[in-house]
Amino acid sequence: MLNLGLVILGGGIGAGIRHLLNMGSLRLFGSGYPWGTMIINITGSFVMGAFIEFLARRASASNELRLFVATGILGGFTTFSAFSLDFVTLWERGDVVPAVGYALVSVVGAILALFFGLWLVRTVS
C-alpha cells in the first residue's frame, strides 16, 4: 500500500506541474501550436534519463524513491518519459529492431487509437 500511495502522491504532483506548464506556455506562446505538450515531453524525458542514471550510480537509492519520482511524478508529468525510457532500455541492450518497432507501434498506434475513439463516439452519438 505504501508503494501505491507514493505513486498516487507523485502522480498528483506531476500532473499539477504539467498543468501549470501548459498554462504558462499558452500565455507565452498562444494556442496555435502545442508548445506546452512538446516542452513537457522533452523535459520529462530528459529528467527521466538523468534520474534513472542517478539511481543507477547510487546503490543506496530505494525502490520507493524510484516509484515516487519516476512512476509517480514523471508519470503524472508525462507518460512520454516512461515511453522514452522503455525505448532507450531496448536500444541500449542491443534490441534495435524491437526498439524501433516499439516506437513506431506506440506512436502510430496511439494516434490511430485516438482517431478511432473520435470516430466511434461521433458515430454512436
Side-chain angles (χ1 to χ4, degrees):
M1 281 311 264
L2 172 65
N3 290 345
L4 178 60
L6 290 170
V7 170
I8 290 169
L9 178 62
I13 291 168
I17 295 168
R18 180 180 67 229
H19 176 69
L20 291 172
L21 285 176
N22 264 327
M23 295 299 97
S25 72
L26 282 172
R27 286 191 181 102
L28 283 173
F29 306 117
S31 62
Y33 188 80
W35 289 107
T37 300
M38 186 174 68
I39 291 166
I40 287 164
N41 285 336
I42 293 169
T43 303
S45 293
F46 169 77
V47 173
M48 179 70 85
F51 180 71
I52 292 300
E53 186 61 23
F54 170 77
L55 287 183
R57 292 178 181 272
R58 295 185 58 100
S60 63
S62 69
N63 186 51
E64 290 81 10
L65 179 62
R66 183 190 61 78
L67 286 171
F68 177 68
V69 176
T71 305
I73 293 174
L74 293 173
F77 185 62
T78 171
T79 57
F80 204 82
S81 60
F83 161 80
S84 299
L85 178 62
D86 291 341
F87 175 85
V88 170
T89 299
L90 288 168
W91 185 274
E92 285 190 340
R93 69 179 185 213
D95 294 334
V96 174
V97 172
V100 171
Y102 173 71
L104 288 173
V105 171
S106 293
V107 172
V108 173
I111 291 169
L112 289 175
L114 192 138
F115 274 120
F116 179 67
L118 290 171
W119 172 83
L120 182 66
V121 172
R122 289 173 180 169
T123 301
V124 172
S125 296

